Every structure is written in C-alpha cells, then in structure tokens.
Amino acid sequence: MTNQQDYTQDNDKLYRYLFQNRAVRGEWVRLNKTFTDTLNTHQYPKAVQDLLGEMMVATNLLTATLKFDGNITVQIQGDGPLRLALVNGNDQQQIRALARVDGNITENMSLHNMIGKGVLVITIAPKEGERYQGVISLDKPTITECLEDYFVRSEQLQTQLIIRTGEYEGKPVAAGMLLQIMPDGSGTPEDFEHLTTLAATVKDEELFGLPAEELLYRLYHEETVNLYPAQDVQFFCGCSAERSGSALLLISDEEIDEILAEHKGSIDMQCECCGTHYFFNKEAIEKLKSTKL
Ligand SMILES: [Zn+2]
C-alpha cells in the first residue's frame, strides 16, 4: 500500500491500466500545476474555470486513447456569454486552453446558459494523415455526458467518463477517469457494467487526494489491475514571435498603420493562452513582410 501522504507524487500524471480478467481498459489523470498554469494569466469566472478543467481532463483522456502521434482540439462555440472555450492537447500530454467571455457569467450558471446555442467540436489531427472532425450537439447537461455519447455513437464503444473539478488543499484541481470496453470485442457488457458501477462510487477527495495506485485499490481491490508507468502532463503553449507575426500579416496594411498610430508605434500581440506579449513596431513588421515574400 502506498503512503497516503504521498498523493502529490501523482499530481500532473496520467496513468493507463488494464483489468486482467475483464476486457476493459482504464485511464486516470489529475491536473494540478497544469491547471494552475493554464488559469495563471486569466481571471475567468468560476463556472468557466470549472468548464475548462473539465475539457482539459477530457482532452487528456481522449489523447491517451489515440493509437498515433498527434493532437486533439476540443472546442465549444456558442452565442451565449461564453463565446469560446478551447483546449488543445497532444500525445505527449502537453496541453493548453483558453476561453473568451463576453457578458456576465454567474457562479452556478449551467452549461447551456453559458453557451447559448452552440456545439462541441472535436478535431483529431494526426502528425501524419487526415484530420478528423466530429461535431457533437450539446444536448446533455454536461460536457462529460456529451462526450460519453460521442464515444458510443462514433466508435460504438461503451465508455464511462468521470470528471471532477474543484479545489484541494486550497488549490485548483481537475481530475478524471475513463473506462472503455476493449475495441477487439472481447469485453462483455456485464464486465463493463460491474467496473463502471464501482467507478461511479469514487469521491472527489479520493480523485483529488490519493495516488493512482491507492485509488484503484480502493475501487477495485477484488480485481487484478495492471497499472502502466505514468506519463507527465504539463501546460505547454507553443506560441512564438514568429506565429504571432504571421497572424499580424493577415491584417491589412491600412489597419496595421492605424493600430501603430493608436499605440505609440508598437503593436502588442498577446497570446490568449499563456499571456505572453509579443511587440511589433513598424520596422519589425516590414521585416516580417520581406521574409514572407
Ligand atoms: Zn502562448
């Protein structure tokens, strides 16, 4: 048994596991520093913060099911006060997120009141090969339920997602678990149901405050669970002066001159994800243009 004091060893980790006697696979992830780093430069309303945490955990769990290198973007767009919520993560479990808010979002606002009329879009982009995009209607009360539905419909795979966000020891935390019947058809609905019923009993404080091994032991002490080595999860933006510069070149010359005049000769391109400022003056913009040609 692992010492309960050591739960932080599994902060910002993702685990995969298999049940030896049931054809079901599992994943577990907890975001601590990753989540704090994502929220760092932003003052999101609590409900938006929780939603982003939920989407981040979902993205980690989804990328961990991929059998190839690439990245997944989970995005919500709507006409409510939450205009956009976007999370992008890759097979290295590097993840970033952002939200755009335009209007008042109250503490316990429902997903549907935040989003208004909107959809959930999942884009899977392998490093090699075709992109795949799935559009999911937001007809369930939570993102987690919408995603479970997506798995059943798109992959015909029974999937359980449990995602919780909140605070633990005064710090933001988001964590979750995925159970999925093996795609080779060897799993039985009875096995799946047995394990998901047990998983559904998990408490917030167990997800937030236990090492993975101990949590799995508490839930499944009658099962043999093969736990694979953990993968680190971290916030990673990937923005650069070069990328910001390319975005700037999409604006017309007249508009650039106007902004330059308004802002004392320097355009501030701030990254929406991590808050890094990239400054461009006239000279820098001319240089960008000449290298583009
Ligand atoms: Zn950035």
Side-chain angles (χ1 to χ4, degrees):
M1 284 287 289
T2 324
N3 183 346
Q4 200 177 322
Q5 301 301 313
D6 290 344
Y7 80 93
T8 57
Q9 76 196 16
D10 281 345
N11 286 0
D12 300 290
K13 297 270 192 263
L14 180 135
Y15 282 93
R16 295 173 177 83
Y17 43 92
L18 282 176
F19 294 87
Q20 202 164 44
N21 303 312
R22 303 180 193 268
V24 174
R25 64 182 176 190
E27 294 169 7
W28 174 96
V29 70
R30 183 164 64 223
L31 306 179
N32 300 85
K33 188 174 186 297
T34 309
F35 193 25
T36 313
D37 286 350
T38 304
L39 301 172
N40 191 21
T41 53
H42 303 280
Q43 300 291 325
Y44 294 129
K46 176 79 169 60
V48 173
Q49 181 174 319
D50 286 345
L51 179 68
L52 280 181
E54 193 178 346
M55 289 170 68
M56 286 172 78
V57 169
T59 306
N60 290 128
L61 296 171
L62 287 174
T63 49
T65 64
L66 292 181
K67 286 158 226 83
F68 48 79
D69 293 350
N71 70 81
I72 291 187
T73 304
V74 176
Q75 186 175 340
I76 294 172
Q77 272 172 304
D79 63 2
L82 178 65
R83 292 293 152 136
L84 173 78
L86 183 149
V87 175
N88 176 264
N90 63 24
D91 55 279
Q92 300 299 305
Q93 294 300 345
Q94 296 171 320
I95 192 161
R96 63 199 167 110
L98 72 93
R100 283 189 204 134
V101 177
D102 181 15
N104 187 34
I105 293 180
T106 53
E107 182 153 349
N108 294 313
M109 207 167 191
S110 74
L111 179 68
H112 292 115
N113 287 337
M114 276 198 281
I115 295 166
K117 249 179 84 180
V119 284
L120 177 68
V121 181
I122 295 187
T123 310
I124 299 173
K127 268 194 195 124
E128 285 161 28
E130 294 271 302
R131 275 169 163 248
Y132 164 82
Q133 200 163 66
V135 179
I136 302 160
S137 62
L138 292 163
D139 49 9
K140 300 262 177 344
T142 66
I143 295 293
T144 305
E145 288 162 280
C146 296
L147 285 170
E148 273 183 348
D149 211 41
Y150 160 78
F151 268 109
V152 175
R153 279 195 239 172
S154 75
E155 304 194 35
Q156 275 87 50
L157 285 178
Q158 274 187 290
T159 305
Q160 179 193 40
L161 279 173
I162 293 173
I163 302 178
R164 311 267 172 82
T165 61
E167 274 196 4
Y168 193 72
E169 297 186 333
K171 289 184 184 139
V173 59
M177 302 171 76
L178 172 146
L179 280 181
Q180 190 168 64
I181 201 154
M182 291 299 276
D184 62 7
S186 58
T188 68
E190 291 74 26
D191 280 348
F192 182 74
E193 202 190 318
H194 175 72
L195 296 174
T196 52
T197 305
L198 291 171
T201 65
V202 74
K203 297 185 190 80
D204 283 7
E205 61 262 34
E206 291 175 320
L207 269 175
F208 297 159
L210 289 178
E213 197 179 342
E214 191 175 332
L215 176 85
L216 292 173
Y217 180 79
R218 283 204 193 178
L219 292 175
Y220 305 120
H221 49 88
E222 285 175 359
E223 303 289 329
T224 308
V225 184
N226 300 326
L227 189 64
Y228 295 97
Q231 202 178 359
D232 289 326
V233 183
Q234 59 175 318
F235 172 78
F236 175 76
C237 185
C239 65
S240 65
E242 203 186 349
R243 281 197 193 184
S244 294
S246 324
L248 197 53
L249 292 185
L250 300 173
I251 307 173
S252 72
D253 288 356
E254 296 78 49
E255 223 174 312
I256 285 184
D257 287 340
E258 256 173 51
I259 305 170
L260 280 172
E262 252 172 64
H263 295 88
K264 300 190 178 117
S266 173
I267 299 181
D268 175 5
M269 297 282 285
Q270 189 183 12
C271 173
E272 275 188 284
C273 278
C274 69
T276 304
H277 291 271
Y278 297 99
F279 294 99
F280 297 89
N281 59 19
K282 184 87 186 163
E283 199 188 334
I285 293 165
E286 290 306 326
K287 208 171 147 196
L288 278 175
K289 278 189 198 161
S290 63
T291 51
K292 274 281 170 212
L293 292 174

